[in-house]
Amino acid sequence: MAYVNQFTKLFKHKRNQIYVALEDVEDTEFIWSEKQIANFEILWNMDMPLTEISKQLGCTETSVFLLAFDRALKGSIKRREGWNIW
């Protein structure tokens, strides 16, 4: 039982040191509907800038950037010229 208590204390302590990426970014969408994704991909394929896509979809530029990054990693959209971030 003492081992369990020590493990629990250690786990709680270590857990407090975890860094959560983008945790403090306000007004950022991480959940998208299939329709929103389809609309994004249509606008993306029209070579619309991210700033304009965000206006069309009614969300922040950060949200659209994260969606574009996700879709590019998954091969769902073609990377644009000059998007060499790797």
Side-chain angles (χ1 to χ4, degrees), residues 13-73:
H13 177 69
K14 292 290 185 185
R15 185 173 176 200
N16 290 334
Q17 296 179 16
I18 292 174
Y19 174 80
V20 179
L22 304 173
E23 178 180 34
D24 56 348
V25 177
E26 295 182 18
D27 301 325
T28 302
E29 300 291 327
F30 292 97
I31 300 171
W32 299 81
S33 70
E34 290 181 10
K35 183 177 181 180
Q36 288 173 309
I37 293 171
N39 288 338
F40 164 79
E41 290 180 0
I42 289 168
L43 299 173
W44 179 267
N45 290 330
M46 293 170 53
D47 285 327
M48 187 175 287
L50 290 180
T51 54
E52 188 59 32
I53 294 174
S54 71
K55 291 175 188 173
Q56 294 289 322
L57 297 179
C59 57
T60 65
E61 293 173 14
T62 303
S63 297
V64 173
F65 170 77
L66 293 173
L67 180 61
F69 185 70
D70 175 78
R71 303 307 287 166
L73 285 175

